[in-house]
């Protein structure tokens, strides 16, 4: 199929692309009007009456008025309202009742449960279509629309405590409410397979169902793509008596991988090795609370913040989070290079709610971000102040230089021996190990000293040791997840770092059951 001029595709009057053009032209105005609409629509809810939303009628002052009335929230502060919403009460946080709930962490019985409005589900669907349209518009490649799309959504189940409602991972809720033309013409796998309860059996069923389909688009978390690809190639070879080595041997027309859930950069080299042919990677950033950003330029390492998807953003400088009067910056006040804790107000009834993620702006015209980790993703046990973003990048650089490929990792303080100095232990599951673990450790150490002054000072003073690298066998982290989680699914993630040893020790015990002792 011939390429279509990208300028022609970008000029088409398609709704999602038109929305992007509008907020890029007037980011501050679009966000201000969105907040004005949210508070006026919620004025007669209990939360709105409690915080006098009816007084916020002047658009020019809506942001200042809102921030003076509504404090920053977390799950615990909103829990009394959220519990009543989950009980079926109407007009508590948002007009009407909710019938869809996303598990943000934990389980449906004990975790954080976020209400998801029908409006938000519709906006998120438009977001996803817009990401795909933008991809075609930027590359001129429309061939992906001529085949099937394979997604791996998480599990959804009836909500036992609220008849007629559903609870599960937001990707599963979105799949249940996907537009008819997507589910009928593009989705490669029926829901009875996508919602199989056991995750391993689901991946087996997906591989079997799609092994002979014309898959052109993938939409899933990179962590699970790695496992699916192994199963797919094995299934193809068993079915056809072949010796396929890569995914493109099975799906020769594969064009685009839409990635989300975890940082793509950590898995890209491994995925490219498994796929074995040219493919366009497009990363997006979404959560139970909303879909926030997407990679709008092919090959870029940052993402365009979507400013008109039912979410009003506030950004709290990370070093002020938890203080008495932290700055609450809006889109017109942020700066590049600063780590911010992301807070959102949304058409699902969340108000100045801390998502728990840290973002950093790379550009302000337009507003592009990278996800720099979680607000809790940091090790500072010995004053080293290592952030998740720094550690992830150090590992990526070391792999690039050494030719290694990794699948998963976790970082924790190592066990401190008598007379020894503190340091970090890196547990790494490699797909291809480096030739020399000592050199690999030095590469990580050199990068960390280059980007982190706290770490550098402690290394120079010999008060902190170089990283200790421990390799674990393939499948160790998956086994640990299966041993420690009630259910493994699309949203299940390996914690990347911890100041305690419970994850690291558990992973090492899982490795021991696979015949490796330390």
């Amino acid at each position: 199929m011939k390429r279509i001029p990208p300028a022609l595709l970008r000029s088409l009057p398609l709704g999602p692309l038109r929305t992007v053009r509008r907020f890029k032209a007037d980011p501050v105005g679009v966000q201000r009007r969105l907040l004005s609409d949210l508070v006026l629509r919620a004025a007669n809810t209990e939360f709105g009456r409690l915080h006098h939303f009816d007084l916020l009628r002047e658009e020019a002052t809506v942001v200042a008025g809102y921030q003076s009335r509504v404090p920053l929230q977390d799950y615990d502060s909103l829990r009394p309202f959220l519990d009543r919403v989950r009980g079926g009460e109407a007009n508590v946080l948002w007009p009407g009742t909710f019938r869809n709930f996303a598990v943000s962490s934990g389980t449906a019985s004990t975790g954080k449960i976020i209400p998801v409005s029908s409006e938000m589900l519709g906006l998120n669907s438009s977001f996803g279509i817009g990401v795909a349209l933008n991809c075609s518009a930027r590359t001129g490649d429309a061939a992906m629309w001529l085949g099937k799309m394979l997604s791996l959504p998480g599990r959804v189940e009836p909500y036992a405590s609220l008849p007629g409602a559903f609870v599960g991972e937001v990707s599963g809720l979105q799949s249940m409410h996907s537009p008819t033309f997507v589910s009928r013409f593009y989705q490669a796998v029926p829901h009875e397979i996508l919602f199989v309860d056991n995750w391993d059996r689901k991946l087996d069923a997906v591989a079997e169902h799609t092994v002979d389909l014309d898959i052109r688009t993938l939409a899933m978390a990179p962590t699970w793509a790695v496992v699916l690809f192994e199963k797919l190639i094995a299934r193809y070879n068993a079915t056809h008596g072949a010796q396929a080595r890569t995914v493109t041997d099975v799906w020769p027309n594969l064009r685009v991988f839409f990635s989300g859930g975890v940082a793509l950069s950590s898995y890209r080299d491994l995925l490219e090795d498994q796929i074995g042919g040219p493919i366009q990677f497009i990363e997006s950033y979404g959560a139970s609370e909303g879909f926030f950003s997407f990679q709008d330029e092919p090959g870029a390492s940052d993402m365009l913040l979507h400013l008109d998807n039912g979410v009003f953003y506030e950004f709290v400088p990370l070093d002020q989070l938890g203080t008495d009067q932290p700055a609450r910056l809006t889109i017109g006040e942020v700066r590049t290079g600063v780590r911010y804790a992301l807070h959102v107000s949304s058409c699902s009834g969340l108000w100045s709610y801390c998502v728990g993620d840290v973002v950093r702006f790379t550009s302000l015209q337009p507003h592009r971000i990278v996800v720099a980790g979680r607000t809790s993703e940091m090790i500072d046990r010995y004053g080293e102040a290592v952030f998740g973003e720094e550690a992830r990048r150090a590992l990526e650089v070391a792999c690039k230089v050494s030719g290694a490929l990794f699948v998963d990792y976790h970082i924790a303080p190592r066990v401190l021996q008598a007379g020894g100095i503190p340091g970090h232990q890196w547990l790494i599951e490699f797909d291809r190990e480096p030739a020399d673990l000592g050199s690999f450790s030095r590469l990580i150490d050199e990068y960390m000293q280059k980007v982190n002054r706290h770490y550098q000072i402690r290394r120079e003073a010999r008060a902190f040791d170089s990283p200790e690298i421990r390799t674990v066998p393939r499948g160790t982290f998956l086994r640990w997840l299966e041993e420690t989680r009630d259910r493994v699914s699309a949203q299940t993630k390996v914690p990347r770092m911890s100041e305690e040893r419970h994850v690291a020790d558990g992973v090492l015990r899982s490795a021991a059951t696979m015949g490796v002792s330390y």
Side-chain angles (χ1 to χ4, degrees), residues 280-293:
Q280 181 73 48
F281 286 98
I282 301 295
E283 187 169 15
S284 62
Y285 165 39
S288 301
E289 297 84 359
F291 287 11
F292 304 137
S293 65

Side-chain angles (χ1 to χ4, degrees), residues 154-446:
R155 177 174 166 77
V156 174
E157 59 193 40
Y159 202 174
S161 62
L162 186 59
F166 292 89
V167 63
E169 296 174 25
V170 69
S171 58
L173 296 173
Q174 288 297 148
S175 183
M176 284 180 57
H177 294 85
S178 60
T180 301
F181 84 92
V182 172
S183 58
R184 180 172 297 178
F185 298 110
Y186 288 106
Q187 178 57 267
V189 179
H191 279 171
E192 55 263 31
I193 292 178
L194 289 180
F195 292 136
V196 167
D197 187 17
N198 181 276
W199 191 254
D200 193 55
R201 287 201 303 270
K202 177 164 93 169
L203 293 179
D204 284 333
V206 168
E208 181 176 3
H209 186 85
T210 61
V211 70
D212 290 316
L213 294 183
D214 181 17
I215 302 296
R216 301 198 178 197
T217 305
L218 301 174
M220 60 189 67
T223 42
W224 298 115
V226 171
V227 182
L228 174 64
F229 290 165
E230 292 175 349
K231 292 177 177 289
L232 174 75
I233 294 169
R235 170 62 63 179
Y236 181 84
N237 289 338
T239 302
H240 296 279
Q243 294 184 336
R245 296 190 300 273
T246 67
V247 174
T248 51
D249 291 336
V250 182
W251 297 328
N253 294 321
L254 184 62
R255 316 288 292 191
V256 184
F257 188 119
F258 293 105
S259 171
V262 297
L264 172 62
S265 60
S266 297
Y267 295 90
R268 182 163 181 156
D269 288 345
L270 176 57
L271 291 172
E272 287 179 337
D273 192 59
Q274 288 183 300
I275 292 168
I279 189 169
Q280 181 73 48
F281 286 98
I282 301 295
E283 187 169 15
S284 62
Y285 165 39
S288 301
E289 297 84 359
F291 287 11
F292 304 137
S293 65
F294 67 97
Q295 185 183 344
D296 63 321
E297 294 290 348
S301 59
D302 50 10
M303 293 177 282
L304 180 71
L305 188 64
H306 199 299
L307 301 176
D308 198 7
N309 198 50
V311 176
F312 174 77
Y313 301 101
E314 295 175 87
F315 306 91
V316 176
L318 191 57
D319 59 2
Q320 297 185 34
L321 188 65
T323 61
D324 291 338
Q325 292 184 313
R328 298 169 62 174
L329 307 179
T330 58
I331 198 63
E333 300 169 308
V334 293
R335 296 185 290 119
T336 59
V338 178
R339 291 186 177 93
Y340 295 107
L342 180 64
H343 291 68
V344 300
S345 301
S346 77
C347 61
S348 285
L350 298 178
W351 302 103
S352 295
Y353 178 81
C354 183
V355 174
D357 289 333
V358 180
V359 300
R360 178 169 51 81
F361 283 87
T362 59
S363 167
L364 302 182
Q365 293 181 340
H367 289 85
R368 291 195 174 95
I369 63 170
V370 294
V371 181
R374 299 283 293 172
T375 54
S376 58
E377 193 177 68
M378 179 183 180
I379 299 182
D380 194 26
R381 190 163 181 174
Y382 304 104
E384 67 273 38
V386 172
F387 287 93
E389 177 189 27
E390 296 169 338
R392 183 180 72 240
R393 183 59 182 153
L395 180 55
E396 292 167 1
V397 168
C399 283
K400 185 73 71 176
V401 173
S402 66
L405 294 173
F406 74 92
V407 178
D408 255 317
Y409 69 95
H410 177 78
I411 308 166
R414 71 185 188 192
V415 177
L416 192 58
Q417 304 294 335
I421 61 174
H424 292 162
Q425 183 182 67
W426 295 57
L427 304 180
I428 307 176
E429 181 179 321
F430 286 102
D431 181 70
R432 184 166 66 227
E433 287 193 22
D436 185 338
L437 290 179
S439 296
F440 194 82
S441 172
R442 284 191 292 275
L443 289 168
I444 290 176
D445 189 43
E446 289 168 0

